[in-house]
Amino acid sequence: MAEDERSVGSERTADNVVLIRVRGSLDGWSGSSELSAALTSAVADGAVRTVVDLSGVPFADSAALHSLLGGQREHAKAGVPLVLAGPLDSGVRRLFEVTGTSGAFRFADDAEAALRC
């Protein structure tokens, strides 16, 4: 995937749910800081739930995990559910398994399911 195809974008639904769509590799060089900012913004702007769509992420490293864990802490402190949506690429799924952090997150099969939960 080309550098310019990497993106972190967010939108708010009519129900005040923030959907953050991540596309491309998510690592210390690309995307992780943007993801952290989007997660912080969702809580600060009063979202009732935040969904992070990771279905377009082929690779994620410890910087991405750090961003997600920080976002999870912010959301938990504010009482706002954070849901990670797939389907997850095998490398991304493995990041959660190898680090033992899969239990720290709520997962949904896809973004549509996460928006309904």
Side-chain angles (χ1 to χ4, degrees), residues 48-66:
V48 297
R49 179 172 61 252
T50 302
V51 174
V52 180
D53 178 1
L54 297 174
S55 64
V57 177
F59 172 79
D61 71 1
S62 61
L65 182 60
H66 178 76

Side-chain angles (χ1 to χ4, degrees), residues 18-29:
V18 171
L19 172 61
I20 300 170
R21 293 189 191 271
V22 184
R23 299 291 176 258
S25 293
L26 192 55
D27 55 37
W29 296 106

Side-chain angles (χ1 to χ4, degrees), residues 64-115:
L65 182 60
H66 178 76
S67 294
L68 290 167
L69 287 169
Q72 175 62 19
R73 280 190 299 275
E74 286 181 277
H75 279 70
K77 185 176 178 181
V80 178
L82 174 64
V83 183
L84 306 184
L88 299 179
D89 184 271
S90 61
V92 176
R93 191 177 330 109
R94 184 159 168 71
L95 175 66
F96 293 111
E97 293 168 357
V98 168
T99 59
T101 56
S102 59
F105 299 99
R106 183 174 173 187
F107 292 91
D109 291 337
D110 57 41
E112 293 306 314
L115 289 170

